[in-house]
Amino acid sequence: MPGAVIVHHHTRYKTYPGEVTGIVVFSCLIASVAGCIFGYDIGLTSGLTSTEPFLIKFFPTIYEERKKQVITNQYCKFDSQFLTMFCSSLFLSAMTAAFFAGGITRSFGRKWTLFTGGSAYVTGACLGGISFNFPMLLAGRLLVGAGVGLSIHASPLYISEVAPAQQRGMLNILFQLMITVGILTASMTNYLSSKIPGGWGWRVSVAFGAVPAGVIALGALAIPDSPTSLIQRGDTATARKTLAQIRGVGDVREEFDDLSTASQDAMAVESPWKELLFGGKYKPQLTFSILVPFFQQLTGINVIMFYAPVLFKTVGFKQNASLVSSVITGTVNVFSTFVAIMTADKVGRRALFLQGGTQMIISQILVGTFIGLQFGMSGTGAISEQYAMCIVLFVCVYVAGFAWSWGPMGWLIPSEIYPMAVRTQAMSVTVAVNMFFTAFIGQIFLTLLCHLRFGLFYFFGAWVLLMTLFIAMLLPETKNVPVDEMAHVWKKHWFWRKFVVDTSDARSAEMRKRIALEMS
Ligand code: BGC
């Protein structure tokens, strides 16, 4: 059956025959567990640094200093750059791994990158869990970071490649859903393991990450590689078989032919890195690969994810209540992601970005104002229960806005806008930028809070305003567009069309020239 043609925003895009088969759902679920180990580490990071037995064992001087400090200003908490550096080391290791991931994904496929990432994580988590000195702990953390970097590079790419275009948004957002599940699991594990007598509960928290990582490593053995990746590595027979299997139809000729054409274009590119960064052909896409993860971190989300307990303590919550509050925000984060899963392929990516962004700006202004009204510039005083509840409420509204906009779209958009030729390299850029700014925000948050005080929320609010305007003006809608037809969306866009080099025209012009030469 030939591919149908659907009308989409005045543009015609192909739909290939096939449906969402069990094997596609299973494969996407396995790949999405990569999000879980990433999220688990985001959640674990905040828990570890407030776990006393852990600090006493590995950072005794910092522990003593923190105990001695008398807090007079609620905005200025104890801040050890060394301790935050230790936390950031995981994200910096993931950033480095992301660059190697490009090569591994290209040469060995998405499936084996997931396997390697999962295995590295299992090894690192076990090493961290049993470590009795700092070098062991650090080595474990770096290995875990490498595992995260490799897995989160391969996972969104894999899902976007195996999912049918009409359901790509929904399936890709499983990755973000797993991130949120990972964060929530970590808050709960931290809480429960801190109850284990003997002060070794943190070992359970650290080692527990090996469970989802094991699922990725073993699961990767059971799933097929993406047809795109198989074609790119020259295994066309398996690619055709896999495509038929995952689409659940016998005749996949049209999609297969299009993938093969895309692969020929990809093979013509000698140096994908050079082509991506300096070729000038991918300016629109590259802008999004860099700015989307950068902006995602500048929403300030990880201030909440890393520091929710510190923040809630700042507004006067007791130790237990602040832990409970982070479980509340974590739960809101998980459930709100379903909104994106249900709507991304219907209302589109842009609508979610714009609505979620607006919601985040409003709640950031309100949270900043509530904190400012109670603590003023000096950071002294106590907060009333009603104010504290309002703050938790609007932090939840903010997290919900993120969970259906910048959270999932931050991973979906970069994974779906590139042609095969430079896709894996571009994903390395996105993961690296994301990891770098995750570490950066973690590193500077306490200093920023001490200097900007309640204005910190206005600061992030201003960034969200800027990025929402950026999306409104410059992001073309990508819903339902087959990945390998994505070039059209740039050609149609009022701004980006100026930057698009029409290779088909260039190619036919070259061909015409050659024919003319041969004839003369
Ligand atoms: C971001 C993380 C963030 C998480 C929150 C992800 O998309 O990359 O930095 O912590 O969402 O759910």
Side-chain angles (χ1 to χ4, degrees):
M1 195 183 102
V5 170
I6 56 161
V7 176
H8 174 83
H9 283 284
H10 317 296
T11 312
R12 292 170 150 248
Y13 295 115
K14 277 182 196 161
T15 50
Y16 301 110
E19 54 195 64
V20 185
T21 54
I23 182 162
V24 155
V25 175
F26 174 74
S27 306
C28 291
L29 271 174
I30 292 290
S32 69
V33 182
C36 192
I37 55 171
F38 172 42
Y40 190 78
D41 280 300
I42 292 174
L44 187 66
T45 297
S46 62
L48 276 187
T49 53
S50 50
T51 304
E52 285 195 359
F54 176 81
L55 289 178
I56 295 171
K57 181 148 189 67
F58 296 108
F59 303 92
T61 337
I62 294 173
Y63 175 73
E64 286 305 323
E65 277 172 42
R66 184 186 274 184
K67 244 179 49 186
K68 267 191 261 148
Q69 202 205 25
V70 185
I71 295 175
T72 47
N73 177 346
Q74 290 296 337
Y75 297 123
C76 298
K77 299 285 179 186
F78 177 77
D79 185 6
S80 157
Q81 290 293 316
F82 182 69
L83 188 58
T84 22
M85 200 61 216
F86 165 74
C87 295
S88 300
S89 63
L90 186 146
F91 302 103
L92 296 177
S93 162
M95 177 181 95
T96 316
F99 284 108
F100 291 100
I104 304 179
T105 336
R106 196 178 159 93
S107 314
F108 301 101
R110 286 54 168 147
K111 175 183 158 106
W112 291 107
T113 313
L114 284 170
F115 176 79
T116 317
S119 310
Y121 193 108
V122 171
T123 319
C126 295
L127 192 62
I130 58 163
S131 57
F132 45 81
N133 58 27
F134 184 73
M136 258 180 103
L137 183 75
L138 186 65
R141 199 157 170 84
L142 294 179
L143 258 176
V144 160
V148 167
L150 293 178
S151 322
I152 65 174
H153 178 276
S155 171
L157 271 189
Y158 177 84
I159 300 178
S160 283
E161 285 174 351
V162 299
Q166 312 298 311
Q167 287 84 19
R168 189 178 60 240
M170 179 183 92
L171 290 169
N172 188 291
I173 298 171
L174 285 178
F175 173 72
Q176 173 69 17
L177 181 70
M178 287 293 186
I179 297 182
T180 62
V181 169
I183 297 175
L184 182 61
T185 312
S187 333
M188 299 206 287
T189 316
N190 278 335
Y191 179 69
L192 294 176
S193 70
S194 69
K195 302 261 175 257
I196 297 178
W200 54 272
W202 62 268
R203 292 187 186 276
V204 176
S205 303
V206 171
F208 186 72
V211 175
V215 172
I216 303 171
L218 293 178
L221 299 177
I223 60 176
D225 207 343
S226 75
T228 307
S229 178
L230 288 163
I231 292 182
Q232 215 174 5
R233 287 177 291 127
D235 192 355
T236 44
T238 318
R240 192 190 287 270
K241 217 173 81 202
T242 307
L243 191 61
Q245 214 179 8
I246 62 176
R247 294 288 175 259
V249 288
D251 185 3
V252 285
R253 218 173 335 150
E254 184 159 20
E255 187 172 4
F256 184 81
D257 288 349
D258 287 350
L259 282 176
S260 301
T261 313
S263 156
Q264 275 155 20
D265 287 350
M267 257 143 30
V269 175
E270 263 172 43
S271 165
W273 272 112
K274 211 162 105 195
E275 180 89 0
L276 172 69
L277 300 176
F278 311 109
K281 214 161 102 190
Y282 298 110
K283 276 191 196 131
Q285 293 94 325
L286 198 54
T287 309
F288 286 90
S289 298
I290 296 171
L291 287 185
V292 166
F294 167 73
F295 281 150
Q296 191 204 50
Q297 291 308 312
L298 265 288
T299 56
I301 188 66
N302 281 327
V303 162
I304 307 295
M305 296 303 143
F306 290 154
Y307 295 105
V310 177
L311 203 72
F312 288 133
K313 243 190 259 172
T314 301
V315 300
F317 279 36
K318 301 271 172 313
Q319 171 77 17
N320 236 347
S322 65
L323 264 175
V324 170
S325 313
S326 58
V327 172
I328 295 175
T329 53
T331 311
V332 170
N333 197 15
V334 173
F335 285 99
S336 309
T337 309
F338 283 99
V339 174
I341 293 184
M342 312 294 281
T343 56
D345 294 314
K346 300 195 177 78
V347 302
R349 289 43 165 164
R350 282 174 54 84
L352 286 173
F353 263 127
L354 301 182
Q355 192 287 329
T358 313
Q359 182 168 323
M360 287 162 84
I361 298 167
I362 296 171
S363 35
Q364 276 164 321
I365 294 175
L366 288 175
V367 171
T369 307
F370 287 136
I371 296 182
L373 283 176
Q374 292 285 289
F375 289 131
M377 289 303 276
S378 63
T380 49
I383 202 156
S384 76
E385 211 168 283
Q386 284 94 329
Y387 265 98
M389 294 317 266
C390 280
I391 290 169
V392 175
L393 175 72
F394 284 102
V395 166
C396 288
V397 175
Y398 160 81
V399 168
F402 177 88
W404 59 63
S405 62
W406 283 91
M409 301 305 139
W411 294 103
L412 172 60
I413 299 291
S415 75
E416 65 179 8
I417 55 176
Y418 277 94
M420 206 190 277
V422 292
R423 198 176 294 151
T424 58
Q425 288 72 16
M427 201 62 200
S428 297
V429 172
T430 294
V431 176
V433 173
N434 198 312
M435 293 302 105
F436 178 80
F437 285 99
T438 304
F440 183 71
I441 298 283
Q443 200 71 34
I444 64 164
F445 164 68
L446 289 175
T447 317
L448 271 182
L449 178 66
C450 188
H451 287 96
L452 296 178
R453 302 171 169 110
F454 60 87
L456 181 67
F457 292 91
Y458 300 156
F459 170 78
F460 285 122
W463 276 103
V464 182
L465 176 64
L466 179 77
M467 60 188 87
T468 307
L469 292 176
F470 167 80
I471 293 292
M473 288 166 63
L474 295 175
L475 180 76
E477 183 55 67
T478 51
K479 76 163 179 186
N480 300 344
V481 184
V483 174
D484 288 296
E485 290 210 29
M486 209 50 88
H488 297 293
V489 305
W490 309 104
K491 280 187 206 154
K492 301 251 174 265
H493 190 267
W494 70 273
F495 180 75
W496 295 119
R497 65 169 164 237
K498 291 178 243 169
F499 297 88
V500 175
V501 180
D502 197 330
T503 45
S504 55
D505 282 1
R507 228 185 295 146
S508 47
E510 206 174 286
M511 218 180 282
R512 275 199 302 274
K513 230 176 10 191
R514 212 178 317 135
I515 293 169
L517 262 177
E518 274 166 17
M519 286 177 61
S520 64

